[in-house]
Amino acid sequence: MPKEKSSILRALSPLRPYLFFLALTLLCLSLSRLLLMIWKYDRIDSIADWITLLGFGLRIDIASISYIIGIPAVISLLISGIPYINRIWDFLTRVWLTCTFVLLIFMEASTPAFIEEYSLRPNRLFVEYLLYPKEVFSMLIEGHKLTLLLTSLITTITVILAYQFFRKQSITNRPQPKWFERPVLVAIIFCLAFLGARSSLQHRPINPSYTAFTNDPLVNSLTLNSTYSLMYAVSQMADEVSSFELYPKMNQDKVITEIHKAMGLEKDQFTSEEFPTLHTQQATLHFDRPKNLVIILEESLGAQFVGSLGGLPLTPEYDKLVPEAWSFNNLYATGTRSVRGIEAVITGFVPTPARSTVKLPNSQTNFFTIAKLLGKQGYDTNFIYGGGAHFDNMKTFFLGNGFNSIIEEKDFVNPEFVGSWGVSDEDLFTKANQDFVAKSKTGKPFFSLVFSSSNHDPFEFPDNKIELYNSPKATRENAVKYSDYSIGHFFRLAKQEDYWKDTVFLVVADHDARTTRSDLVPIPSFHIPALIIGDGIKPKRDSRLASQIDLAPTLLSLIGVDSEHPMIGQDLTKVGDDYVGRAIMQFNENQAFLKNGKVVILQPKKLPKTFSYESTILIPDEDVSEDLINQAIAHPLLGTWLYNEKKYDIRRTK
């Protein structure tokens, strides 16, 4: 072997395992990314985008690997050749490289299933779900056996092969660099690792915003590797305040003025300088005794599944209620998670780039909820859920903010059916009806939040309850149909009870099902059903644009409760049919504001984007013109169609 080559190999011998790790990891991550790109090829517009994806992906992978091996490589150079210490370090290196490599492969193996559900690489949701191992493991066992098996198999094989591979790259018993070579090598490796980790000479190191280059969040996430995506999400969770860099700077007085103007209230209605949105609200209706309030929050019930909104014919029971209810044709959720729906409907709080208030540590007590407000008015308040109320931190949040009691899975005696997420919706509503009957006998008004769960992956529900819409049984469509069946079951019970005449009911979705759309904020996937029903509620089909945050103020008027609260939503009983509403939506790191046919989208560290958007238009099949069809860019069923340079969410009616 030539002397010069031998000298180089000797000098680099302490780096041998790290160099092999670098090469092997780059190969595996690049192959994983390429396979994901091939899988989702229809989302990638051009050859240039393929090249951009692979290029940005390589930079992210190098940055990830630099964080993993940079400091250990420098330490290896400094201690190489020192007896005993070198041997211990060799073992620690082997364990460290094996563990990190296994993590990288495990995350890549988990990615397809996560993308299938959330249309993104693993992010903070991955971490949040890991906090509830019982529910998650039950869901995987019942509905994702193949995914669980393949991921476990790949991970096990990786552990065995990786350890054996890195054991062969031992740094002991090899020629070591000379003492005068080490400072130079340390300086070079440190600089390379530093530059590799930053992957940028700009003020900030590379991050997901830097590699975003399309309006499709999934394609942007493919530039990352899943371990990087997950760790970045964890770092953001640890420093939620940084998320608010999304917003431009604005004078506080101007912010308050604009909010007050948008609320449409008189100046003398605001009651606090410390809490600028705190104001008085006089109820539109008054009764000798305020009415009870029941909010039924339906899991993942998007408008795309609701027949009366032009969706699939899966909700005959809901649709039967529409003619006797105040129903909303043009209502939008604030987010894509249950905690967002809870936040909006129960607290009236708008979505922010941070986690939902249900999960933030400083909102676990002393935070406004309508339960707290009604509790001060003498109401008995509770939360009824068929699963474990600890999920998504609901139990802590509710008990700390005005809910007197909670009924959860452990409180159901001999339920008819129990699945991964708890008892069936039918059991849930049977229990809720029993609870309302008992409460009504006390003479005290009550407020209850009832949260369904049967329409949740893995879509488990009892047999012989519905005529299946499709096969196999465990599909989202069939789960929606069963959940709707349970709604019918509840209202058949409720209408026979004395409490019916004294109660206002809201049925509303927490959010739509997961979206696979490529928009920065997929507006149609936020469209949800809602109706308010009860003795004395005037039937109405309301096509005004509205948001989940408008529901709580409206309900307070309908149950006859005068109040003081900080909610900025609109009391829809006090505005006319010409009211121009707005909807506020959060999707990943992006925020959208929809009003008057315009959508403004805020993205981190980027200028806002604006486009025209017309809300849902219901049109009969026979009236769809050839001209419209020929010019439309449509997605199946729930289509955002581009026509005359405007976006329309068009649903076909039967």
Side-chain angles (χ1 to χ4, degrees), residues 319-495:
D319 297 340
K320 286 177 188 175
L321 297 173
V322 168
E324 55 184 293
W326 178 358
S327 63
F328 296 86
N329 296 338
N330 207 10
L331 181 80
Y332 287 79
T334 60
T336 57
R337 292 290 314 282
S338 297
V339 284
R340 287 293 182 198
I342 291 170
E343 174 185 72
V345 174
I346 300 302
T347 78
F349 200 74
V350 296
T352 70
R355 285 178 291 170
S356 162
T357 53
V358 177
K359 307 190 79 165
L360 291 175
N362 289 338
S363 61
Q364 300 309 295
T365 56
N366 301 318
F367 198 83
F368 173 81
T369 67
I370 56 173
K372 182 178 289 186
L373 185 156
L374 294 176
K376 293 178 179 178
Q377 301 269 1
Y379 278 67
D380 184 357
T381 61
N382 76 346
F383 172 55
I384 306 178
Y385 181 52
H390 66 283
F391 187 76
D392 266 351
N393 206 54
M394 294 185 295
K395 190 171 190 176
T396 303
F397 179 81
F398 288 147
L399 292 178
N401 290 300
F403 285 80
N404 300 142
S405 62
I406 288 177
I407 296 175
E408 55 182 319
E409 182 178 359
K410 64 181 177 61
D411 301 310
F412 288 75
V413 179
N414 299 321
E416 179 183 353
F417 181 89
V418 180
S420 301
W421 291 94
V423 304
S424 70
D425 284 0
E426 205 173 351
D427 288 307
L428 171 74
F429 287 123
T430 298
K431 181 77 168 178
N433 179 66
Q434 293 169 353
D435 184 64
F436 301 157
V437 169
K439 280 180 166 51
S440 66
K441 293 177 180 178
T442 68
K444 189 177 181 181
F446 63 84
F447 161 62
S448 185
L449 171 65
V450 185
F451 188 16
S452 77
S453 60
S454 289
N455 182 26
H456 194 298
D457 190 352
F459 311 121
E460 301 164 283
F461 55 90
D463 294 326
N464 304 317
K465 296 293 184 177
I466 60 169
E467 181 180 344
L468 299 181
Y469 178 78
N470 53 16
S471 295
K473 177 190 171 189
T475 66
R476 185 179 293 280
E477 290 78 16
N478 289 331
V480 169
K481 198 170 181 182
Y482 171 72
S483 295
D484 177 71
Y485 165 85
S486 302
I487 286 285
H489 166 72
F490 171 71
F491 279 101
R492 283 190 292 274
L493 294 175
K495 288 179 179 180

Side-chain angles (χ1 to χ4, degrees), residues 294 296 298 318 321 487 491 505-509 529-533:
V294 172
I296 298 173
E298 283 289 298
Y318 178 93
L321 297 173
I487 286 285
F491 279 101
F505 302 85
L506 167 68
V507 181
V508 62
L531 61 78
I532 299 172
I533 191 169

Side-chain angles (χ1 to χ4, degrees), residues 606-623:
K606 292 187 177 182
L607 293 175
K609 288 194 174 184
T610 303
F611 59 83
S612 297
Y613 181 87
E614 293 297 331
S615 301
T616 303
I617 302 171
L618 297 177
I619 53 175
D621 284 340
E622 58 269 23
D623 289 346

Side-chain angles (χ1 to χ4, degrees), residues 351 521 523 583-587 590-594 599-602:
V521 178
I523 306 297
I584 304 163
M585 290 157 271
Q586 175 262 336
F587 185 67
N590 300 332
Q591 306 284 115
F593 185 85
L594 169 62
V599 177
V600 178
I601 294 179
L602 292 179

